[in-house]
Amino acid sequence: MDRRALDRLVYGLVWLACFAPLLWLAWRGFNNDLGANPIDKLIRELGVWGLRLLIVGLAITPLARILKQPRLIRFRRTVGLFAFAYVLLHLTNYVVTDQWFDWAAIGKDILKRPFITVGMAAFVLLVPLAVTSTNWALRKLGPVRWRKLHRLTYLIVPLGVIHYLMLVKADHQPPLIYGAIVALLLGWRMWEATRKRINRPARG
Amino acid sequence: MLIRHGGDLTENDVTPRDVYLRRRDFMSGLIGGGLALAGGATAGAEAATGLKGIASPYSTKETPTGRADITGYNNFYEFGLDKEDPARNAGSLKASPWTVKIDGHCNKPGTYDIGDFLRGNPLQQRIYRLRCVEGWSMVIPWLGVPLADLLKKYEPTSKAKFVAFETLYRPSEMPGQRRAVLDWPYREGLRIDEAMHPLTIMAVGLYGESLPNQNGAPMRLVVPWKYGFKSIKSVVRISFVEKQPRTAWNDSAPQEYGFYSNVNPTVDHPRWSQASERRIGEFRRRETLMFNGYGGQVAGLYSGMDLKKNF
């Protein structure tokens, strides 16, 4: 297999891995296998998968550096856009199937329920990142500004974890595990940034 | 605050005179042969199928939720945290033999076999709405006995201001208890007048069968005007106490789960609205009713109380 075909195959596999949870949910929904409260189940599953993919997206850069595999970076956009798709479906399900466009109730939720306020903030911040994910937008913004804008993920992902943590009733373990991973990934970035700053004057 | 009166009782709900007059026949029949669950606890709770209960005027006319949903979608953390976990894991619970310890301020404390505890009380069918604090609801055809009829036998004294309940603690059979998600054993409590209210029952069955383990076998409380977590499952201890007892969810998050926990659409859970609910099996949410629609019967218990403070 030549390099190009292999690339395409790997890319296809990544794409499929991101798409699989949605297919699985759709399949279960279609077969009436989402339990007694399918709307609640669907919203939760979509939210959790959105968060998982956001975290995977956040892990790609450190992995690429640590494993010295810079080409991993090319999956960042796919993973990030899939994360956005899950989050968007999560929100859509809340607005449509759960609340049935009851805008008054939704507005109250956003203002009065801190976990929804936080989730909504994370979504709003995620939108510009999805919108500027095209090559055209990258060119238009220029790499420096683009990179600055996309550092919003360092805020968005923790907000997603907090959103999850705040809605849990008794078992805080799953959101705390996600939180620990995010802390590790952001901690690595801070450590990297500090190291670079220290190294730079030495070089100059 | 606004208290809506009038449940769904009408003239038609009154037990017909002939049925009423035959009630003793029914009771003796029940005691003679049908009390398999209470009398023959040694036969195992799962053998006690085909239970029958006298229809009750307290039952709602609403269509009961399907059996598969009632027995497959449960909050019973002793068997896991997901709604499907109890149905999967509760098979390990040995619901027979079963004893219940009665203690505190009463003249006849002791540890009683479940058969003796229930003996002499005809089963009633109570079709009740159940509203979970999480914002979903069901309609469940319980089979049970008014709690008051059970408790009176133990002659609570004037010091018995509250009744405290405890669930079985047996981690070997309740895998969820191996993690301290809540401070086990699960505890609940009622004010004595709430416990003695005719709507409050000790349920031993649903849909004409003894309780499946995941629904709180062999017996569980049902307090239909309160959020579901007040209706404690698999009860092994009932104590008559003078002071308001501690309760599991109140211990876990006191600002979120009050001692009373009456269904109240005007008092939101700090993290979510309680104004509406999703009836399992329905698509659109429906409005939540004050006291879960039982205000006509129970609002009097709380007259003069600030229900926002005593949530």
Side-chain angles (χ1 to χ4, degrees):
Chain A
M1 202 186 291
D2 63 29
R3 178 73 178 257
R4 251 215 171 138
L6 186 70
D7 265 8
R8 240 183 259 150
L9 182 73
V10 171
Y11 182 78
L13 286 175
V14 169
W15 203 90
L16 207 64
C18 292
F19 199 43
L22 190 62
L23 281 179
W24 174 234
L25 279 175
W27 173 255
R28 286 173 65 192
F30 187 72
N31 285 291
N32 220 346
D33 185 34
L34 287 173
N37 199 347
I39 293 172
D40 189 73
K41 182 87 165 184
L42 200 59
I43 293 176
R44 268 163 198 269
E45 290 288 320
L46 288 167
V48 166
W49 278 107
L51 183 59
R52 284 176 186 157
L53 286 179
L54 280 172
I55 294 172
V56 170
L58 208 55
I60 288 176
T61 307
L63 276 180
R65 295 274 173 79
I66 291 164
L67 302 174
K68 301 201 184 344
Q69 294 286 330
R71 300 191 68 247
L72 279 176
I73 302 284
R74 75 203 143 108
F75 297 126
R76 227 169 28 183
R77 173 159 62 186
T78 312
V79 172
L81 278 173
F82 263 109
F84 178 72
Y86 280 92
V87 171
L88 184 65
L89 284 171
H90 170 68
L91 175 64
T92 310
N93 260 283
Y94 160 69
V95 171
V96 181
T97 53
D98 187 41
Q99 299 293 327
W100 195 248
F101 306 105
D102 186 346
W103 298 111
I106 293 165
K108 235 191 240 168
D109 267 359
I110 294 171
L111 292 177
K112 281 179 73 178
R113 322 285 164 213
F115 88 90
I116 296 185
T117 317
V118 169
M120 210 56 196
F123 172 75
V124 169
L125 294 173
L126 202 51
V127 172
L129 306 200
V131 170
T132 58
S133 65
T134 59
N135 291 335
W136 181 83
L138 173 61
R139 266 198 309 275
K140 202 81 184 156
L141 280 170
V144 176
R145 268 193 297 174
W146 188 90
R147 223 173 287 145
K148 242 184 204 165
L149 176 67
H150 280 248
R151 276 190 203 135
L152 274 176
T153 46
Y154 306 160
L155 181 61
I156 292 165
V157 187
L159 284 177
V161 173
I162 293 167
H163 169 64
Y164 186 12
L165 187 66
M166 286 172 90
L167 69 87
V168 161
K169 255 176 80 189
D171 182 20
H172 294 95
Q173 196 174 305
L176 287 177
I177 290 171
Y178 290 124
I181 297 171
V182 171
L184 207 68
L185 294 173
L186 293 180
W188 179 86
R189 282 175 166 83
M190 270 155 73
W191 180 69
E192 274 283 293
T194 329
R195 209 178 47 139
K196 270 186 198 160
R197 216 172 300 142
I198 292 165
N199 287 349
R200 214 175 289 145
R203 238 184 267 138
Chain B
M1 67 163 304
L2 178 80
I3 293 172
R4 261 180 265 195
H5 281 273
D8 29 31
L9 292 190
T10 68
E11 201 65 26
N12 297 329
D13 294 315
V14 175
T15 310
R17 188 180 152 77
D18 59 325
V19 174
Y20 177 73
L21 290 175
R22 278 190 278 111
R23 71 196 187 282
R24 303 248 164 228
D25 299 349
F26 184 88
M27 280 169 70
S28 51
L30 198 69
I31 291 159
L35 207 61
L37 179 106
T42 46
E46 58 281 2
T49 50
L51 297 182
K52 279 209 172 81
I54 315 164
S56 163
Y58 289 116
S59 288
T60 172
K61 299 256 182 312
E62 290 161 278
T63 312
T65 306
R67 191 184 181 281
D69 287 341
I70 293 174
T71 60
Y73 190 76
N74 309 95
N75 275 324
F76 197 171
Y77 282 11
E78 282 82 344
F79 295 107
L81 301 167
D82 288 338
K83 301 284 189 294
E84 291 79 18
D85 284 342
R88 251 197 307 265
N89 302 331
S92 51
L93 173 67
K94 286 193 193 76
S96 171
W98 195 271
T99 57
V100 56
K101 184 179 174 188
I102 313 280
D103 59 4
H105 299 294
C106 66
N107 292 327
K108 293 181 173 172
T111 299
Y112 298 89
D113 181 76
I114 185 172
D116 298 327
F117 178 71
L118 297 169
R119 196 182 312 282
N121 294 283
L123 289 184
Q124 300 186 19
Q125 186 182 56
R126 297 282 181 101
I127 307 172
Y128 281 162
R129 291 176 290 275
L130 176 125
R131 168 63 156 78
C132 178
V133 73
E134 296 166 349
W136 52 269
S137 63
M138 293 182 177
V139 176
I140 304 180
W142 300 109
L143 291 157
V145 175
L147 185 66
D149 294 346
L150 297 171
L151 296 188
K152 277 171 193 159
K153 283 193 295 196
Y154 305 97
E155 299 170 12
T157 67
S158 60
K159 275 187 161 175
K161 303 271 195 279
F162 293 88
V163 186
F165 302 85
E166 268 180 38
T167 296
L168 177 71
Y169 177 70
R170 202 181 281 163
S172 60
E173 294 173 22
M174 298 178 135
Q177 290 176 334
R178 290 169 212 164
R179 269 187 63 204
V181 177
L182 291 169
D183 184 9
W184 312 116
Y186 194 92
R187 295 178 181 85
E188 258 310 334
L190 296 172
R191 223 167 52 190
I192 189 87
D193 56 344
E194 297 175 324
M196 296 299 186
H197 191 278
L199 279 173
T200 305
I201 60 165
M202 188 64 85
V204 297
L206 59 83
Y207 262 117
E209 286 179 0
S210 54
L211 278 182
N213 286 353
Q214 63 268 32
N215 293 87
M219 62 171 175
R220 53 102 36 98
L221 195 66
V222 177
V223 196
W225 71 93
K226 292 175 180 284
Y227 293 118
F229 67 86
K230 293 293 290 183
S231 294
I232 184 170
K233 302 183 180 85
S234 304
V235 175
V236 292
R237 186 177 175 196
I238 301 174
S239 312
F240 297 101
V241 295
E242 195 169 6
K243 294 215 167 67
Q244 181 176 306
R246 46 187 293 223
T247 59
W249 279 103
N250 184 250
D251 278 354
S252 160
Q255 68 288 356
E256 301 192 8
Y257 309 98
F259 175 77
Y260 286 95
S261 286
N262 295 315
V263 175
N264 188 340
T266 66
V267 176
D268 288 337
H269 183 276
R271 287 184 281 156
W272 55 80
S273 164
Q274 294 290 29
S276 69
E277 66 201 52
R278 175 163 289 107
R279 178 71 51 85
I280 295 302
E282 291 180 356
F283 177 63
R284 296 281 296 275
R285 300 180 75 94
R286 49 163 79 206
E287 269 179 50
T288 290
L289 303 174
M290 187 65 204
F291 295 116
N292 202 20
Y294 296 98
Q297 292 96 312
V298 303
L301 295 173
Y302 311 102
S303 55
M305 266 176 75
D306 180 352
L307 294 179
K308 279 203 162 66
K309 233 190 232 162
N310 299 285
F311 60 90

